[in-house]
Amino acid sequence: MDSQTSQSSQASAQGSQKTQSPQEPQQEAQDAQASRPAPSAHTFQVDLRGLVDLLSHHLYSSPKVYLRELLQNAVDAITARRAEEPDAPARVRLHADGGTLRVEDTGIGLTESDVHELLATIGRSSKRAEGLQEARSDFLGQFGIGLLACFVVAERIRVVSRSARTPDAPPVEWTARDDGSYTVRTLPDSARPEPGTTVHLQARAGAGEWLAEERVLALARDFGSLLPYDVRVGEEAVTDLPAPWDRAYPSPAARRVALARHCHDLFGFSPLDSIDLDVPVAGIRGVAYVLPSAVSPAQRAGHRVHLKGMLLTERAEQLLPDWAFFVRCVLDTDSMRPTASRESLYEDETLAAVREALGERIRSWLTGLAAGDPERLAAFLSVHHLGVKSLARHDTEMLRTMLPWLPFETTDGRLSLEEFAQRHPVVHFTRSVEEYRQVAPIASAQGIGVVNGGYTYDSELVEALPSVRPGTAVAELDADTVTAHLDAVDPPEELALAGFLATARAKLDPLGCDVVLRAFHPLSVPALHLDDRAARHERARAEAETQADDLWAGILGSLRGSAPRARLVLNHLNPLVRRISSLGDAELVGTATESLYGQALLMAQRPLRPADSALLNRAFIGLLEWATHGEEGHR
């Protein structure tokens, strides 16, 4: 019965579903949704103390930025007022006593509604206020953090403000504590008779030093020396306009002296020269100072960048091209975008264009020196040739301009590539300092001109020489080329020394080195060790194979190459080699050969392998034993 009832109920339900109209399920869903309670709206709860800790330890590099924020707010307020009243006063006054700081400005001011909307809402920028949007590009701030940064050094902030836009509105007071609480009240007209804003800070425990007058003055001058308004700490002026690079001087020499003094005060060094950085399209004015001593290309330069007069950062690393590591810049701009902390530059298309434009200014300065002041150029290159070489390897025109001036180490002394190419029909070069030291004495004696390309950028510049000096032949010098320039020994004489050569070759064969006999100058060189990179790679592979297990030894063995081995070239003209070749004692010949090999390695200033060091010790002890016991003791 129950089963039948159940089935009947299911059939009835199915039948009723078949007769429903298409709109009924949708209506039921809407009714069900309407019967649910509406979601309640919530707002984020902000822990102000935690936020201040985040700002001080992660966003800002130092508590000193609190003063920049105060100056920035004051300057922005004056800018906003002057947009409506061009003749409005433009003053910022700071008064500090170590426990409190008072900052007064003659800016646009605030009404009570402005205070509730702008100061009490974290993240709201006052630049969004009605009527200020059109002047936004003239403001320093873009992120609305504002007074919040002051809690890094203060436990209480009190703001008293009167609006210039609404003169009839009474002054308003906003008082906030670092626990997130605040109060707002209106004040009598006597509390602030003129439009503007006064900010009072009360130092938090342990932060009083940041509000001391001497510290406030130093920070204000550091941040605000180029601000366009009258800023003072007590009676001391902060702004120092016009900027040193924009001032009129009685002569170019006087300008150089003044800029050198400015560089010394700012960066702590007296520059070799100064370079004007005037890029009107990017709204940039400033100067680059040339360092008086060489620095590593890997060292990150710190440049000082002001944004609309306010110091943005003194550690701008991406301002110039990498090759311009020999200058330090200070400039003011109104076009570049700061990061959220306003302590560095945002990497965007504008910054990339500025970097290219500033690099072009430095490049033009170098070209001008080459054309009109060779003495200053020579003084510069004696210190910073590496930076110019870095630029010239990517800039054909710069390479052509600097060709007569850039110094290179050669077998003819320290010369420019232009002068060296005039002396030699073929410009030979080595890719490493070790290779150059191996062949330089011998190549020079044979009349082969060689450039040491082992230093940074040098081999690239030598290879680029034909592109700026058509008709120049450039060739890499290797061991085969050097050996080919050495005179062969007459066949009968070499045949007579076959036994000596066989003994010498057998002695050095375990070291992966062959022995050849040649006649060359200078006579004082008994032996020359020659190898190339391929030979060194093969030797390193062979050493690794001997030390590896069976599996890796098999793999390394399969990589065995056919590269030529290193060579010990014995000088048949050298008297010592002639005496050694005439010895009848095979053991003594082997010891002497090892000594010549070791001496050739030391002359080439090659790093010694453990096997080489052991050979030198063995040869030295063997020669001492022979010298102390005499030839009879060895027979």
Side-chain angles (χ1 to χ4, degrees):
M1 184 67 178
D2 291 341
S3 175
Q4 293 176 354
T5 303
S6 176
Q7 292 174 358
S8 174
S9 299
Q10 291 177 3
S12 175
Q14 292 172 358
S16 65
Q17 288 179 359
K18 292 178 182 178
T19 60
Q20 282 181 331
S21 65
Q23 290 79 11
E24 288 178 352
Q26 181 178 357
Q27 184 63 43
E28 290 180 1
Q30 291 176 352
D31 292 342
Q33 183 176 0
S35 65
R36 298 193 191 105
S40 58
H42 299 278
T43 58
F44 287 104
Q45 300 299 311
V46 178
D47 180 356
L48 190 58
R49 293 181 187 233
L51 188 57
V52 169
D53 180 74
L54 180 67
L55 290 176
S56 60
H57 291 95
H58 300 283
L59 182 62
Y60 294 130
S61 62
S62 167
K64 69 180 182 180
V65 297
Y66 88 92
L67 194 67
R68 184 194 63 198
E69 295 292 341
L70 289 173
L71 287 175
Q72 176 175 291
N73 287 342
V75 170
D76 284 348
I78 294 173
T79 301
R81 184 177 180 185
R82 284 207 156 182
E84 301 179 6
E85 305 176 45
D87 296 330
R91 298 187 305 271
V92 181
R93 297 291 183 265
L94 296 89
H95 305 276
D97 63 9
T100 62
L101 173 66
R102 185 173 82 255
V103 181
E104 302 173 348
D105 69 65
T106 57
I108 193 69
L110 301 171
T111 63
E112 183 176 0
S113 61
D114 292 335
V115 167
H116 282 291
E117 181 182 1
L118 303 175
L119 294 185
T121 305
I122 293 174
R124 175 69 62 86
S125 172
S126 62
K127 271 66 78 178
R128 296 190 181 97
E130 181 180 357
L132 302 187
Q133 191 67 30
E134 66 275 6
R136 184 180 178 91
S137 63
D138 294 327
F139 292 118
L140 300 173
Q142 295 288 329
F143 301 96
I145 294 176
L147 289 174
L148 188 61
C150 295
F151 281 118
V152 173
V153 297
E155 66 177 8
R156 187 170 75 103
I157 302 174
R158 176 171 168 259
V159 178
V160 177
S161 185
R162 182 165 194 151
S163 175
R165 186 181 293 113
T166 312
D168 296 337
V172 61
E173 178 191 71
W174 176 82
T175 305
R177 294 186 174 276
D178 60 359
D179 61 1
S181 63
Y182 73 92
T183 60
V184 179
R185 63 174 180 147
T186 58
L187 301 175
D189 289 347
S190 59
R192 178 84 199 191
E194 299 295 331
T197 300
T198 302
V199 179
H200 304 261
L201 300 188
Q202 180 176 320
R204 63 168 54 224
E209 62 172 314
W210 291 104
L211 273 60
E213 183 176 19
E214 185 177 352
R215 174 66 68 89
V216 169
L217 177 60
L219 292 178
R221 284 177 171 168
D222 194 37
F223 284 120
S225 62
L226 300 183
L227 289 175
Y229 305 133
D230 179 16
V231 182
R232 295 177 182 271
V233 176
E235 298 300 322
E236 297 289 336
V238 169
T239 52
D240 186 19
L241 296 176
W245 51 85
D246 285 331
R247 296 173 188 170
Y249 296 96
S251 67
R255 186 174 191 273
R256 282 196 296 270
V257 171
L259 290 180
R261 187 183 307 114
H262 175 250
C263 176
H264 189 273
D265 294 342
L266 206 60
F267 294 113
F269 65 85
S270 297
L272 282 178
D273 206 348
S274 58
I275 308 169
D276 287 329
L277 302 178
D278 186 4
V279 187
V281 175
I284 287 177
R285 291 282 298 164
V287 62
Y289 293 115
V290 182
L291 291 166
S293 56
V295 294
S296 168
Q299 180 177 331
R300 304 304 296 176
H303 307 292
R304 289 176 64 93
V305 177
H306 295 255
L307 181 62
K308 302 181 181 71
M310 181 73 75
L311 178 65
L312 178 70
T313 178
E314 53 191 355
R315 298 186 303 274
E317 297 180 349
Q318 68 274 47
L319 185 65
L320 295 181
D322 290 340
W323 56 261
F325 54 81
F326 50 83
V327 298
R328 296 292 180 270
C329 297
V330 54
L331 55 84
D332 188 24
T333 177
D334 58 14
S335 64
M336 289 187 285
R337 176 183 171 191
T339 58
S341 67
R342 290 193 287 279
E343 294 187 300
S344 60
L345 297 172
Y346 192 85
E347 185 68 50
D348 57 10
E349 292 181 358
T350 300
L351 180 56
V354 166
R355 183 162 48 235
E356 183 177 350
L358 295 181
E360 182 58 37
R361 286 293 303 116
I362 298 173
R363 184 185 291 108
S364 298
W365 170 77
L366 285 170
T367 304
L369 286 186
D373 200 339
E375 291 185 0
R376 286 171 66 196
L377 178 62
F380 166 76
L381 289 178
S382 67
V383 178
H384 295 298
H385 57 274
L386 197 59
V388 179
K389 287 180 177 180
S390 175
L391 170 60
R393 67 195 177 113
H394 297 302
D395 190 323
T396 302
E397 189 58 37
M398 181 55 62
L399 177 58
R400 182 179 291 107
T401 301
M402 293 290 113
L403 199 58
W405 308 102
L406 288 174
F408 288 78
E409 182 180 355
T410 76
T411 49
D412 292 355
R414 198 161 181 81
L415 300 175
S416 70
L417 285 182
E418 175 69 27
E419 185 176 357
F420 187 81
Q422 291 174 357
R423 296 184 181 186
H424 299 277
V426 178
V427 178
H428 290 95
F429 72 98
T430 63
R431 292 191 181 275
S432 72
V433 176
E434 293 176 357
E435 291 172 345
Y436 178 80
R437 288 170 177 167
Q438 288 179 29
V439 303
I442 308 304
S444 179
Q446 305 302 314
I448 306 172
V450 185
V451 178
N452 185 355
Y455 296 114
T456 306
Y457 310 133
D458 282 8
S459 61
E460 296 176 70
L461 294 176
V462 174
E463 289 182 297
L465 188 57
S467 66
V468 296
R469 198 176 188 276
T472 303
V474 173
E476 182 176 356
L477 188 67
D478 55 20
D480 288 336
T481 304
V482 176
T483 305
H485 279 78
L486 303 180
D487 295 334
V489 178
D490 290 340
E493 292 187 50
E494 186 168 2
L495 184 61
L497 298 176
F500 160 71
L501 292 175
T503 302
R505 287 166 181 158
K507 198 66 175 179
L508 298 185
D509 184 70
L511 297 174
C513 182
D514 291 333
V515 177
V516 297
L517 188 65
R518 293 289 188 273
F520 56 87
H521 293 273
L523 301 179
S524 58
V525 177
L528 177 66
H529 183 271
L530 293 177
D531 65 355
D532 52 26
R533 282 168 294 163
R536 288 195 293 274
H537 292 164
E538 174 61 21
R539 187 165 60 247
R541 185 210 59 77
E543 290 176 357
E545 182 181 353
T546 61
Q547 300 172 8
D549 56 28
D550 293 341
L551 174 61
W552 282 108
I555 295 174
L556 291 171
S558 67
L559 299 177
R560 183 179 297 110
S562 58
R565 306 206 309 171
R567 273 161 281 181
L568 181 68
V569 184
L570 300 177
N571 189 359
H572 186 56
L573 301 180
N574 180 266
L576 176 61
V577 172
R578 286 181 173 271
R579 288 197 296 270
I580 293 175
S581 65
S582 64
L583 293 173
D585 188 333
E587 182 178 352
L588 184 55
V589 167
T591 301
T593 301
E594 289 180 331
S595 300
L596 291 174
Y597 173 83
Q599 189 265 350
L601 287 179
L602 295 175
M603 289 294 294
Q605 302 184 41
R606 286 280 309 281
L608 299 180
R609 300 170 297 165
D612 298 330
S613 299
L615 176 144
L616 282 171
N617 289 331
R618 184 171 62 250
F620 178 71
I621 296 298
L623 290 177
L624 281 179
E625 289 181 351
W626 178 82
T628 54
H629 294 288
E631 187 175 350
E632 289 296 328
H634 287 273
R635 292 179 180 173

